[in-house]
C-alpha cells in the first residue's frame, strides 16, 4: 500500500458516543455538511456503524473511503441502512497494477466485489486513484474502462505524495520508486485526462487541479500554492479523539478529554494554528489533493 500508514500503530479509539456528539454538534452548527470517514481503513473500526448512523440521523452527508477488502454484502447492507451515501473506493488501476500496489494478489478482485455489493445496496460508488509511476501509462484506458461501468459515478485523481508511514525528509521523491520520473510524460498524461474530462468522461477533479498537479510533479520541491486554505475547508477528528486543522501542526483539542467540538474549533488554540497555516508555504498532500483551492494558484 503506497501510503504505508500501516507502519504506524494506531492508538486506542475513543468511545463512539463522543464521536456521535461531535457529529451532532457539527450538524447543529453548520447544517447538512459532508462528513468523510477515512483511515487507514475505517472498516476495521468498531465505531464505524454507530458513527455513520448518528451522523446521518443528524442530517450530515456521510461518505466512506475504503480499500474495499471487507466490503462484502452484509457490511454494505448495514452501512446503507445506517445512512451511508457514498463509498469512495481506492483503486489505482487494473489488476496487475492494483494488486502490486496493494501487495495482494486478490486486491483487484476484492475491489470489484466491493463495487458490486455497494451498488446492489443502493450506495453511490466513486473511485479514488493515486497517480504514480506504476500506473501512469494506463490511466487513460482505466478511465475509459470505468466510463463503461454504470455502477461507478466517477473517479477522483490524487497526486502521489510522501507516504504517511515515512518520517518527513528533504527531497523524499528523489529516492521514491513510485514517484513519476518523467515530468514531460506526466504532463502529457495529465493534459489528456483533462481533455477526457472536458469531453464528458466521469473525472471529478476541478480543471485547475490538473495544472497544479503538473507543476507539482515537475518539481515537488518548488511547488507551492499562494496560500493555505485548509483551515477554512474543514478539520480532522482522529479515532483517538484528537482534533486537527492540519497534520503538520499540533492538535487543537481532544474529544476524549471531554472538550466539545465547537469550543475546540472556535478556541484560541485553533485561531493560533489557523494564523500559522495562513503563513505556511510548504507543499503538502492536503493542498494538492484533499483541499485543493483553485483560487490559491
Amino acid at each position: 500500500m503506497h501510503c504505508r500508514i500501516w507502519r504506524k500503530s494506531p492508538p486506542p479509539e475513543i468511545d463512539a458516543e463522543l464521536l456521535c456528539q461531535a457529529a451532532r454538534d457539527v450538524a447543529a452548527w453548520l447544517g447538512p455538511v459532508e462528513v468523510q470517514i477515512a483511515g487507514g481503513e475505517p472498516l476495521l473500526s468498531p465505531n464505524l456503524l454507530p458513527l455513520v448512523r448518528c451522523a446521518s440521523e443528524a442530517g450530515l452527508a456521510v461518505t466512506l473511503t475504503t480499500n474495499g477488502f471487507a466490503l462484502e454484502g452484509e457490511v454494505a447492507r448495514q452501512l446503507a441502512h445506517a445512512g451511508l451515501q457514498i463509498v469512495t473506493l481506492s483503486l489505482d488501476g487494473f489488476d496487475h497494477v492494483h494488486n502490486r500496489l496493494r501487495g495482494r494478489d486478490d486486491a483487484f478482485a476484492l475491489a470489484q466485489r466491493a463495487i458490486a455489493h455497494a451498488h446492489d445496496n443502493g450506495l453511490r460508488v466513486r473511485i479514488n486513484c493515486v497517480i504514480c509511476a506504476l500506473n501512469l501509462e494506463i490511466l487513460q484506458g482505466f478511465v475509459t474502462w470505468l466510463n463503461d461501468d454504470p455502477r461507478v459515478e466517477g473517479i477522483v485523481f490524487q497526486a502521489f505524495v510522501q507516504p504517511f508511514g515515512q518520517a518527513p525528509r528533504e527531497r523524499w521523491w528523489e529516492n521514491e520508486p513510485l514517484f513519476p520520473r518523467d515530468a514531460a510524460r506526466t504532463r502529457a498524461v495529465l493534459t489528456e485526462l483533462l481533455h477526457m474530462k472536458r469531453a464528458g468522461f466521469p473525472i471529478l477533479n476541478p480543471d485547475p487541479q490538473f495544472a497544479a498537479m503538473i507543476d507539482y510533479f515537475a518539481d515537488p520541491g518548488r511547488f507551492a500554492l499562494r496560500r493555505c486554505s485548509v483551515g477554512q475547508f474543514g478539520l480532522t477528528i482522529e479515532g483517538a479523539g484528537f482534533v486537527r486543522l492540519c497534520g503538520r501542526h499540533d492538535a487543537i483539542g481532544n474529544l476524549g478529554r471531554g472538550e466539545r467540538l465547537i469550543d475546540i474549533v472556535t478556541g484560541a488554540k485553533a485561531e493560533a494554528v489557523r494564523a500559522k497555516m495562513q503563513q505556511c508555504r510548504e507543499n503538502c498532500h492536503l493542498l494538492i489533493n484533499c483541499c485543493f483551492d483553485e483560487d490559491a494558484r
Side-chain angles (χ1 to χ4, degrees), residues 71 85-89 111 114-120 122-128 146 149-155 204:
L71 193 62
Q85 296 183 16
I86 299 174
V87 169
T88 298
L89 190 69
I115 290 173
H117 287 313
H119 178 264
D120 290 348
L123 297 170
R124 295 160 58 192
V125 179
R126 295 176 181 172
I127 301 300
N128 184 83
L146 289 173
D149 190 337
R151 303 170 302 175
V152 176
E153 185 174 278
I155 182 171
L204 304 178

Side-chain angles (χ1 to χ4, degrees), residues 233-261:
F233 272 94
L235 55 88
T236 298
I237 301 174
E238 298 175 356
F242 290 102
V243 181
R244 298 183 188 275
L245 296 173
C246 171
R248 293 174 180 259
H249 294 273
D250 293 337
I252 59 175
N254 190 330
L255 300 178
R257 298 175 186 154
E259 301 173 78
R260 292 291 292 269
L261 181 62

Side-chain angles (χ1 to χ4, degrees), residues 50-217:
L51 177 56
V52 170
R53 184 175 297 108
C54 65
S56 177
E57 290 173 350
L60 301 174
V62 187
T63 71
L64 172 72
T65 299
T66 174
N67 61 25
F69 291 176
L71 193 62
E72 46 82 26
E74 180 59 19
V75 173
R77 186 195 68 78
Q78 291 179 356
L79 288 168
H81 184 71
L84 184 67
Q85 296 183 16
I86 299 174
V87 169
T88 298
L89 190 69
S90 296
L91 186 59
D92 296 312
F94 301 114
D95 50 0
H96 63 291
V97 170
H98 189 66
N99 290 346
R100 181 176 172 186
L101 282 168
R102 300 288 157 173
R104 290 184 56 150
D105 292 339
D106 60 350
F108 185 80
L110 290 172
Q112 291 301 295
R113 184 188 72 171
I115 290 173
H117 287 313
H119 178 264
D120 290 348
N121 283 279
L123 297 170
R124 295 160 58 192
V125 179
R126 295 176 181 172
I127 301 300
N128 184 83
C129 179
V130 176
I131 298 170
C132 66
L134 200 58
N135 65 10
L136 185 66
E137 297 300 334
I138 66 165
L139 294 180
Q140 293 133 286
F142 188 52
V143 170
T144 301
W145 177 71
L146 289 173
N147 185 57
D148 292 334
D149 190 337
R151 303 170 302 175
V152 176
E153 185 174 278
I155 182 171
V156 174
F157 288 104
Q158 293 188 336
F160 183 85
V161 297
Q162 183 172 11
F164 303 143
Q166 290 182 350
R169 66 181 192 273
E170 294 292 327
R171 305 191 68 80
W172 59 270
W173 59 91
E174 294 181 343
N175 297 308
E176 173 51 63
L178 289 178
F179 192 87
R181 297 282 175 230
D182 188 337
R185 180 58 186 153
T186 305
R187 171 189 288 270
V189 170
L190 286 166
T191 301
E192 179 56 31
L193 291 175
L194 176 58
H195 290 161
M196 292 179 75
K197 179 199 170 182
R198 290 173 173 171
F201 285 85
I203 297 173
L204 304 178
N205 301 72
D207 289 10
Q209 193 173 14
F210 287 96
M213 286 193 286
I214 287 171
D215 290 346
Y216 165 78
F217 280 119

Side-chain angles (χ1 to χ4, degrees), residues 257-268:
R257 298 175 186 154
E259 301 173 78
R260 292 291 292 269
L261 181 62
I262 295 176
D263 296 332
I264 291 173
V265 176
T266 60

